[in-house]
Amino acid sequence: QKEVEQNSGPLSVPEGAIASLNCTYSDRVSQSFFWYRQYSGKSPELIMSIYSNGDKEDGRFTAQLNKASQYVSLLIRDSQPSDSATYLCAGGDSGTYKYIFGTGTRLKVLA
Amino acid sequence: DGGITQSPKYLFRKEGQNVTLSCEQNLNHDAMYWYRQDPGQGLRLIYYSQIVNDFQKGDIAEGYSVSREKKESFPLTVTSAQKNPTAFYLCASGDLQNEKLFFGSGTQLSVL
């Protein structure tokens, strides 16, 4: 099992819909999780961080963490074509200051 | 204007040549990182440093070297021993208190 696993997609949603991106992680990964958005040819941009069980909302974005199931998700409400990008899930490597990244899910929001 | 500056944006390497990628940050972060990204792939850790004059190998350190003589700077040298260097190289710095990681704009390295 990969330490941080994501479906590569592409995930296609119509404009205005909710996009749901999922990530699972192994025991090696600590309890800090991050979602990054990466446009083609650009560097990743941090959009959400979550450290405890439950939901965290920031504007149109909601991150959800379920430690028992080792599952973290990102919901994007009212999806816009400008949200089309690759979304990277990352977790802290337990006991170190390293970060482990998933391979990313490509999201396409259709106008 | 705070941030992480990587240079150059594009770099070309001839066979047998060493090249150095620059990374400077003015965010006062203790930790700095180098990642490599291949097309359609995730980020793979090359080296990281939590403090000046100390650094650790990541998952793919072979063929690379780093130094951390100043808190603000963490240059990466791609040596001739790295046989497949073509990739997008990302430098990042992190606040060890809140564990957030921020990236520079990246350097695209290609082989001539």
Side-chain angles (χ1 to χ4, degrees):
Chain A
Q1 181 196 4
K2 293 181 182 177
E3 284 88 7
V4 175
E5 199 150 5
Q6 297 180 256
N7 187 318
S8 61
L11 172 67
S12 295
V13 299
E15 184 176 358
I18 296 175
S20 177
L21 304 162
N22 305 312
C23 175
T24 57
Y25 61 92
S26 72
D27 291 339
R28 176 183 170 187
V29 182
S30 73
Q31 307 302 297
S32 303
F33 296 91
F34 308 90
W35 282 99
Y36 288 84
R37 177 176 62 201
Q38 186 177 25
Y39 293 112
S40 181
K42 302 296 184 183
S43 62
E45 173 193 8
L46 179 65
I47 54 173
M48 289 289 287
S49 59
I50 186 165
Y51 306 99
S52 55
N53 252 348
D55 295 0
K56 179 181 178 182
E57 187 174 317
D58 184 1
R60 295 188 297 114
F61 300 101
T62 298
Q64 299 174 317
L65 175 59
N66 184 324
K67 294 180 183 178
S69 300
Q70 295 184 300
Y71 177 95
V72 59
S73 64
L74 178 71
L75 301 177
I76 306 174
R77 289 181 298 281
D78 188 24
S79 295
Q80 301 297 310
S82 58
D83 294 325
S84 298
T86 296
Y87 289 80
L88 301 168
C89 173
D93 188 353
S94 298
T96 76
Y97 288 106
K98 295 193 294 184
Y99 298 79
I100 303 172
F101 284 81
T103 53
T105 298
R106 190 155 64 97
L107 173 67
K108 297 173 75 172
V109 180
L110 308 173
Chain B
D1 189 20
I4 304 166
T5 302
Q6 286 189 244
S7 63
K9 188 174 175 67
Y10 300 98
L11 186 58
F12 297 90
R13 193 192 89 167
K14 296 179 182 178
E15 193 171 337
Q17 186 183 40
N18 293 352
V19 293
T20 297
L21 284 62
S22 171
C23 180
E24 303 276 334
Q25 56 100 358
N26 60 7
L27 300 170
N28 199 34
H29 287 165
D30 288 309
M32 296 188 75
Y33 304 79
W34 276 105
Y35 288 90
R36 168 179 172 146
Q37 188 175 36
D38 293 279
Q41 303 291 314
L43 277 62
R44 292 187 290 167
L45 182 64
I46 304 172
Y47 270 98
Y48 67 107
S49 167
Q50 296 165 223
I51 196 169
V52 174
N53 293 322
D54 189 37
F55 48 83
Q56 288 76 40
K57 293 182 179 180
D59 301 315
I60 55 164
E62 187 174 349
Y64 300 97
S65 66
V66 293
S67 64
R68 187 87 187 276
E69 297 176 1
K70 298 186 300 181
K71 185 176 184 178
E72 301 78 19
S73 179
F74 192 41
L76 173 74
T77 296
V78 183
T79 75
S80 57
Q82 173 50 246
K83 298 306 180 187
N84 184 22
T86 297
F88 189 44
Y89 290 85
L90 289 159
C91 177
S93 71
D95 181 340
L96 297 179
Q97 294 300 315
N98 65 25
E99 300 181 294
K100 293 183 179 179
L101 192 68
F102 299 93
F103 287 88
S105 56
T107 294
Q108 176 63 52
L109 175 62
S110 302
V111 176
L112 287 176

mmCIF file of all heavy atoms in Angstrom, chain B residues 5-6 8 12 42 61-62 65 67 69-70 72 79 96 107:
data_model
loop_
_atom_site.group_PDB
_atom_site.id
_atom_site.type_symbol
_atom_site.label_atom_id
_atom_site.label_comp_id
_atom_site.label_asym_id
_atom_site.label_seq_id
_atom_site.Cartn_x
_atom_site.Cartn_y
_atom_site.Cartn_z
ATOM 1 N N THR B 5 11.975 32.002 -3.498
ATOM 2 C CA THR B 5 12.426 32.323 -4.847
ATOM 3 C C THR B 5 13.320 31.227 -5.377
ATOM 4 O O THR B 5 14.335 30.896 -4.763
ATOM 5 C CB THR B 5 13.192 33.663 -4.858
ATOM 6 O OG1 THR B 5 12.345 34.692 -4.350
ATOM 7 C CG2 THR B 5 13.627 34.014 -6.267
ATOM 8 N N GLN B 6 12.922 30.650 -6.501
ATOM 9 C CA GLN B 6 13.751 29.653 -7.174
ATOM 10 C C GLN B 6 14.282 30.247 -8.478
ATOM 11 O O GLN B 6 13.560 30.943 -9.191
ATOM 12 C CB GLN B 6 12.940 28.402 -7.518
ATOM 13 C CG GLN B 6 12.617 27.537 -6.323
ATOM 14 C CD GLN B 6 12.003 26.212 -6.744
ATOM 15 O OE1 GLN B 6 10.855 25.924 -6.428
ATOM 16 N NE2 GLN B 6 12.783 25.417 -7.460
ATOM 17 N N PRO B 8 17.280 29.190 -11.860
ATOM 18 C CA PRO B 8 16.483 29.845 -12.881
ATOM 19 C C PRO B 8 15.140 29.136 -13.064
ATOM 20 O O PRO B 8 14.898 28.095 -12.459
ATOM 21 C CB PRO B 8 17.356 29.695 -14.123
ATOM 22 C CG PRO B 8 18.053 28.386 -13.911
ATOM 23 C CD PRO B 8 18.332 28.312 -12.439
ATOM 24 N N PHE B 12 19.182 24.079 -18.663
ATOM 25 C CA PHE B 12 19.556 22.996 -19.565
ATOM 26 C C PHE B 12 20.917 22.459 -19.141
ATOM 27 O O PHE B 12 21.840 23.224 -18.875
ATOM 28 C CB PHE B 12 19.599 23.495 -21.009
ATOM 29 C CG PHE B 12 18.255 23.955 -21.489
ATOM 30 C CD1 PHE B 12 17.861 25.274 -21.329
ATOM 31 C CD2 PHE B 12 17.370 23.057 -22.064
ATOM 32 C CE1 PHE B 12 16.612 25.699 -21.756
ATOM 33 C CE2 PHE B 12 16.121 23.465 -22.490
ATOM 34 C CZ PHE B 12 15.740 24.802 -22.338
ATOM 35 N N GLY B 42 3.599 12.248 -8.733
ATOM 36 C CA GLY B 42 3.585 13.027 -7.506
ATOM 37 C C GLY B 42 4.963 13.611 -7.213
ATOM 38 O O GLY B 42 5.871 13.547 -8.040
ATOM 39 N N ALA B 61 17.894 10.593 -3.182
ATOM 40 C CA ALA B 61 19.038 11.506 -3.053
ATOM 41 C C ALA B 61 20.206 11.194 -3.994
ATOM 42 O O ALA B 61 21.055 12.062 -4.226
ATOM 43 C CB ALA B 61 19.522 11.492 -1.613
ATOM 44 N N GLU B 62 20.269 10.004 -4.542
ATOM 45 C CA GLU B 62 21.426 9.632 -5.368
ATOM 46 C C GLU B 62 21.556 10.537 -6.588
ATOM 47 O O GLU B 62 20.601 10.739 -7.333
ATOM 48 C CB GLU B 62 21.310 8.178 -5.817
ATOM 49 C CG GLU B 62 22.539 7.674 -6.540
ATOM 50 C CD GLU B 62 22.476 6.192 -6.847
ATOM 51 O OE1 GLU B 62 21.576 5.506 -6.310
ATOM 52 O OE2 GLU B 62 23.318 5.717 -7.628
ATOM 53 N N SER B 65 23.233 16.755 -4.560
ATOM 54 C CA SER B 65 23.867 17.207 -3.328
ATOM 55 C C SER B 65 23.279 18.558 -2.943
ATOM 56 O O SER B 65 22.750 19.288 -3.788
ATOM 57 C CB SER B 65 25.384 17.304 -3.481
ATOM 58 O OG SER B 65 25.721 18.317 -4.408
ATOM 59 N N SER B 67 23.504 21.974 0.239
ATOM 60 C CA SER B 67 24.190 22.610 1.351
ATOM 61 C C SER B 67 23.192 23.509 2.055
ATOM 62 O O SER B 67 22.202 23.941 1.465
ATOM 63 C CB SER B 67 25.409 23.404 0.880
ATOM 64 O OG SER B 67 24.999 24.464 0.041
ATOM 65 N N GLU B 69 24.161 26.495 4.372
ATOM 66 C CA GLU B 69 25.083 27.360 5.101
ATOM 67 C C GLU B 69 24.368 28.542 5.736
ATOM 68 O O GLU B 69 24.874 29.146 6.696
ATOM 69 C CB GLU B 69 26.199 27.826 4.167
ATOM 70 C CG GLU B 69 27.054 26.677 3.648
ATOM 71 C CD GLU B 69 28.104 27.138 2.653
ATOM 72 O OE1 GLU B 69 28.184 28.359 2.389
ATOM 73 O OE2 GLU B 69 28.831 26.281 2.125
ATOM 74 N N LYS B 70 23.218 28.903 5.191
ATOM 75 C CA LYS B 70 22.420 30.006 5.741
ATOM 76 C C LYS B 70 20.969 29.542 5.882
ATOM 77 O O LYS B 70 20.498 28.710 5.100
ATOM 78 C CB LYS B 70 22.458 31.222 4.810
ATOM 79 C CG LYS B 70 23.810 31.818 4.594
ATOM 80 C CD LYS B 70 23.707 33.107 3.765
ATOM 81 C CE LYS B 70 23.096 32.847 2.400
ATOM 82 N NZ LYS B 70 23.015 34.104 1.595
ATOM 83 N N GLU B 72 18.382 31.061 5.064
ATOM 84 C CA GLU B 72 17.553 31.492 3.947
ATOM 85 C C GLU B 72 17.792 30.709 2.657
ATOM 86 O O GLU B 72 17.019 30.806 1.717
ATOM 87 C CB GLU B 72 17.832 32.968 3.645
ATOM 88 C CG GLU B 72 17.580 33.931 4.790
ATOM 89 C CD GLU B 72 18.699 33.933 5.818
ATOM 90 O OE1 GLU B 72 19.836 33.489 5.504
ATOM 91 O OE2 GLU B 72 18.449 34.375 6.957
ATOM 92 N N THR B 79 24.213 16.458 -10.036
ATOM 93 C CA THR B 79 25.535 16.053 -10.498
ATOM 94 C C THR B 79 25.443 15.198 -11.754
ATOM 95 O O THR B 79 24.347 14.722 -12.129
ATOM 96 C CB THR B 79 26.287 15.278 -9.407
ATOM 97 O OG1 THR B 79 25.740 13.960 -9.315
ATOM 98 C CG2 THR B 79 26.207 15.996 -8.063
ATOM 99 N N LEU B 96 7.855 24.769 11.177
ATOM 100 C CA LEU B 96 7.810 23.544 11.973
ATOM 101 C C LEU B 96 6.766 23.609 13.084
ATOM 102 O O LEU B 96 6.370 22.583 13.628
ATOM 103 C CB LEU B 96 9.187 23.240 12.558
ATOM 104 C CG LEU B 96 10.281 22.955 11.528
ATOM 105 C CD1 LEU B 96 11.615 22.676 12.209
ATOM 106 C CD2 LEU B 96 9.892 21.779 10.646
ATOM 107 N N THR B 107 11.798 24.965 -10.944
ATOM 108 C CA THR B 107 12.786 25.023 -12.019
ATOM 109 C C THR B 107 12.595 23.805 -12.907
ATOM 110 O O THR B 107 12.591 22.672 -12.410
ATOM 111 C CB THR B 107 14.231 25.018 -11.468
ATOM 112 O OG1 THR B 107 14.468 26.215 -10.745
ATOM 113 C CG2 THR B 107 15.246 24.896 -12.604
#
